[in-house]
Every structure is written in structure tokens, then in C-alpha cells.
Amino acid sequence: MSETLTETPVRAGNPAAAATPPTATEERKGLTKKEIAADHPTWCPGCGDFSVLALYFKLIEKRKMWHEKITTIAGIGCSSRFPYFVQAHGAHYIHGRALPFASGISLSRPDLHVFVFGGDGDAFSIGGNHFTHTARKNIKMTYCVMDNWVYGLTKKQTSPTSPLGFKSKTDQWGAVDYPINPMKQAIAAGATFVARTTSTNPNHVLAMMEAAMDHDGFSFIECLSECVEFYEGAFDAANPRKGGMFNEVPKNHDASDELEAYKLAGADFPGYFGIFYKNNKATKNAKEAEIQRNMMEKVKGLKDWQILQKNFDRMK
Ligand SMILES: Cc1ncc(C[n+]2csc(CCOP(=O)(O)OP(=O)(O)O)c2C)c(N)n1
Ligand code: SF4
Ligand SMILES: [Mg+2]
């Protein structure tokens, strides 16, 4: 993201303002972790979500971002409490509806980067359709799904990523529904950046967040984040400290190859970690900005009321 150091006022929907280069001579410093941390997180001790939050702070500090250039959006769930803990603009929105809310911000504020955090239930159950459409429209934002394979906030129901046989309050005899594969889902839906990481590998989480933020389009990260309360040990097989394996995406993987990415996504758990897929397609943001530029050209020199009148005259 090259605009993080600009102080140029940007009017909503004014693409010309967004193109203004950053003021490199600016003396204002970026935020420190201390400045960006709000309330103490209310998560259970040991929850994987702590690590994701700490790395988000690190990202903000490392990339020298300012309050007005960050916005943190979430739906509902333990993971979706995220924006409460960030001392910047953000919203804890409706369950499953974080993406449409974030889309509005992204499309009207090209000068900032929108981050969305949430859970597997929020993303793939109630928010499943929003996920598909935001991905296919390639709306610029970073969506980090903190996948714990369970509904944590509501105390252990089966989620769309819970594996077969998982015993929960909604499946007392073990889950019978086939789980979705978030990586396959994201690739198939048209996300232009698809990565996978795990909260137990901080350097890797930070690297994925940075790469996602720098991507001009809809960037999706599946971040395994253990719910120590309702699904303890779910990701041990992906954690070398617990005897598991952390396999990075092979060095020779061609991330521009959709089919290859899909194959990687099909590997048995713990699978691979890294960038599976990356494609530089035009964003909806860019397309809408162009439409707006053309429109502004057509009405050049006219006052607002004259433009309005022209529209009403045309509708007659
Ligand atoms: C419309 C609506 N339906 C259901 C709920 C109840 N509810 C709150 S969070 C949640 C699931 C959370 O699971 P997930 O998104 O995986 O987040 P986690 O708590 O695991 O981080 C549900 C079903 C709600 N708040 N709103
Ligand atoms: S219930 Fe699970 S997901 Fe929620 S805060 Fe506790 S450990 Fe984390
Ligand atoms: Mg969950």
C-alpha cells in the first residue's frame, strides 16, 4: 500500500485525490503498538486470536500507518471482537455482514486500506454468500478469517469448517456434514489473493498480512487460530512445537496457476502454508473510478444542481 503516508484530504469517491502520491517528507511518525492497542482483549487465555491481533499491531507499526488510514471491520463472533481492541476506526458489524459493510468503505475511500477479521462461521455460514460476491467482484480489502473449526462465541456448535465426527452441541454424535475447504472456496469464488497461515507461526502471519495488504484486490487469508476452550488441540498437527508439521508452499509453486493452487488446497491436513494463488485482475474499485471519471468529464463545469436537473430531465 503506497498511500499510507499521505495526508492529502480525500473526498469520498474522488479517484483523482486517491492518485495523489504520498508526502514522503512528512515528519509525522507512524503509530506504535502502545498507541494502537485499545482495551485488553476479552478472549480466553491461550486463544489463538491474541496472536493475530498482536501481529496486526506489528503490521501497523512496521508499515508506519496512521489512525485515519486504517479501518478494521468485523462481523460477530469471538474473533470478530477484533475491532474493539484496535484504537483506530472500525466497526463490529452484523453477523456475517462484515464484507458488504467493508465494501462500501473500500469503494468510497480509496486512500485507505480496509481490513476485515472474523471467524469461520461468520465467513462461511451466515456470511457465505457475501464472501462469494465480494471475492468475485475483486473489491480491494484484506479479509483474514480466523478459522478455529467451531463457533466459539456461542459455546461450541459445529461450524462449516468442523471436520467430520466433531462432537459439538449441535452434533452430539459427531458432525455428519462434509466441511468446506476455505482455500478451495476462495479460489473458486474468484479471490485474487489466497493465502493460508497459522497463528502459532508469528513471522508467517505477519508476512501473509503484509503481502495481502500490498495486493491490489480482494485478498483472503485463512489463519488457523485455536479455540482452546471448545476445540483444544485442533491444529496440533500443524504446529512443530506440538509434534506437527509446518509445510510451506513449495518454492517452485506457480501462484498464478489457478489449477495448481486448487491442487495445493486439496492436500490433507495440515496441508501447506503460504500464498496459494495470486492474480492481478482489475478491481471493482478501479472500474468504478473510471466510470466516475468519465461521468465527471461529461458534466465538467456544471453546478451540482444543474447535474441533478439534467438527470431528471433525461428521466422524463
Ligand atoms: C443473525 C445472527 N445469528 C446468529 C447469531 C449467534 N452467533 C453469534 S457468533 C456466532 C458464530 C460465531 O462463530 P465464528 O464466526 O466461527 O466465530 P468464533 O466465535 O469461533 O471466533 C453465532 C451463530 C448472531 N449473533 N446473529
Ligand atoms: S471461546 Fe474459543 S475462540 Fe472464543 S475466546 Fe475462548 S478460546 Fe478464543
Ligand atoms: Mg469459529
Side-chain angles (χ1 to χ4, degrees):
M1 189 170 81
S2 56
E3 302 92 349
T4 47
L5 287 178
T6 182
E7 254 200 339
T8 312
V10 175
R11 273 183 37 208
N14 178 357
T20 311
T23 49
T25 55
E26 189 53 58
E27 280 188 355
R28 188 178 167 196
K29 289 191 174 68
L31 295 167
T32 61
K33 187 188 161 197
K34 205 170 158 200
E35 286 164 322
I36 200 75
D39 296 347
H40 181 73
T42 48
W43 293 313
C44 308
C47 177
D49 296 355
F50 279 102
S51 163
V52 186
L53 180 68
L55 291 155
Y56 186 51
F57 290 157
K58 205 161 186 171
L59 173 83
I60 290 165
E61 198 174 53
K62 185 171 175 199
R63 302 298 283 262
K64 300 189 179 357
M65 290 194 260
W66 295 332
H67 285 120
E68 71 275 20
K69 298 297 173 200
I70 314 158
T71 188
T72 317
I73 310 298
I76 302 290
C78 290
S79 40
S80 292
R81 287 172 177 257
F82 210 93
Y84 279 129
F85 312 135
V86 184
Q87 186 69 6
H89 301 288
H92 186 216
Y93 198 53
I94 304 167
H95 192 26
R97 313 288 179 237
L99 290 180
F101 188 74
S103 297
I105 301 170
S106 172
L107 292 168
S108 59
R109 288 292 306 270
D111 61 315
L112 51 76
H113 192 75
V114 183
F115 294 91
V116 185
F117 292 90
D120 37 304
D122 199 69
F124 301 116
S125 284
I126 193 165
N129 260 343
H130 293 306
F131 179 80
T132 303
H133 295 293
T134 314
R136 84 175 165 86
K137 291 175 186 180
N138 198 24
I139 301 175
K140 182 167 165 48
M141 69 178 75
T142 296
Y143 187 25
C144 179
V145 172
M146 293 136 87
D147 191 359
N148 55 11
W149 290 358
V150 67
Y151 290 179
L153 186 74
T154 44
K155 304 186 187 300
K156 202 175 186 176
Q157 289 85 25
T158 302
S159 103
T161 54
S162 301
L164 286 172
F166 174 62
K167 287 193 177 137
S168 73
K169 294 200 175 107
T170 42
D171 279 298
Q172 293 177 42
W173 295 276
V176 292
D177 298 322
Y178 300 103
I180 67 127
N181 177 322
M183 303 301 280
K184 283 189 176 177
Q185 192 105 341
I187 298 163
T192 51
F193 177 102
V194 182
R196 185 164 179 262
T197 189
T198 172
S199 66
T200 51
N201 190 329
N203 290 340
H204 196 263
V205 174
L206 184 62
M208 293 304 107
M209 278 187 186
E210 280 200 82
M213 188 178 98
D214 289 336
H215 176 70
D216 189 17
F218 181 77
S219 51
F220 168 74
I221 304 173
E222 182 200 12
C223 180
L224 304 181
S225 179
E226 184 180 339
C227 171
V228 290
E229 191 67 25
F230 299 118
Y231 207 152
E232 202 182 359
F235 308 129
D236 284 359
N239 184 356
R241 284 191 297 275
K242 300 266 178 81
M245 301 272 284
F246 180 82
N247 297 317
E248 287 209 50
V249 164
K251 294 247 179 306
N252 61 356
H253 170 64
D254 178 4
S256 67
D257 188 328
E258 193 174 328
L259 208 60
E260 286 303 313
Y262 203 79
K263 279 187 202 158
L264 268 191
D268 287 341
F269 193 80
Y272 294 96
F273 296 94
I275 300 169
F276 284 41
Y277 184 63
K278 187 167 158 39
N279 172 341
N280 293 320
K281 270 201 283 203
T283 57
K284 182 175 176 77
N285 307 59
K287 290 180 186 181
E288 286 208 340
E290 193 186 343
I291 292 170
Q292 202 177 343
R293 262 194 310 272
N294 293 340
M295 175 68 194
M296 294 311 278
E297 200 51 46
K298 280 192 187 143
V299 295
K300 216 172 177 176
L302 294 181
K303 294 199 164 71
D304 286 354
W305 70 264
Q306 289 171 316
I307 300 170
L308 199 62
Q309 189 60 54
K310 257 176 98 111
N311 279 337
F312 277 110
D313 290 346
R314 211 176 35 227
M315 283 191 276
K316 245 184 176 172

